[in-house]
Amino acid sequence: MSTVITPPTPSVPPTDQIKADQADPPEVLPMQFTSIDQAEELGLPIPCRAFDPEVFFAETPADVEYAKSLCGTCPVKDVCLTGALERREPWGVWGGELFVQGVVVARKRPRGRPRKTEVAA
């Protein structure tokens, strides 16, 4: 008759008994705001409230790109863009994107006819 010896199993406490300092820290996610009011209550800068609104409805391509760059740091950028798409905003910069006739456009074209020849840069 042979005896089988099994090593002792380590005692692991159930997951509901693990202390908070022993548990893995929760994953930190960027804050998602559902309205401009929430962000303003926390004192976060909202570019469209801090700058002249005319900036976001500019005519020149350079000014439009400037407005888009201001939206880059906005905490409600995604909410703004979603709302503008739902409302089919006729024009302007919303959520970092340019709208023309209710559609997102990659860039604003300058006034006048397009050049017939390429410009040397």
Side-chain angles (χ1 to χ4, degrees):
M1 188 156 116
S2 67
T3 306
V4 177
I5 301 174
T6 58
T9 58
S11 63
V12 177
T15 56
D16 60 339
Q17 293 180 356
I18 296 176
K19 294 180 182 176
D21 60 340
Q22 293 174 340
D24 291 333
E27 184 179 339
V28 178
L29 299 173
M31 294 187 76
Q32 297 292 322
F33 294 100
T34 57
S35 73
I36 291 176
D37 296 332
Q38 284 181 329
E40 284 183 330
E41 285 175 8
L42 294 174
L44 298 173
I46 309 294
C48 60
R49 299 280 174 105
F51 290 88
D52 183 16
E54 293 295 319
V55 171
F56 299 94
F57 298 95
E59 291 293 327
T60 64
D63 291 342
V64 168
E65 292 303 316
Y66 174 66
K68 289 166 103 177
S69 72
L70 291 175
C71 293
T73 60
C74 184
V76 292
K77 177 181 174 180
D78 296 334
V79 174
C80 179
L81 180 59
T82 302
L85 288 168
E86 289 172 359
R87 294 186 306 271
R88 293 188 48 98
E89 285 293 337
W91 67 295
V93 175
W94 297 88
E97 298 292 337
L98 174 64
F99 282 75
V100 176
Q101 297 179 351
V103 179
V104 175
V105 178
R107 65 184 182 96
K108 177 136 177 109
R109 293 179 52 188
R111 293 184 61 184
R113 296 181 69 181
R115 295 180 186 266
K116 290 183 178 183
T117 59
E118 291 292 320
V119 177

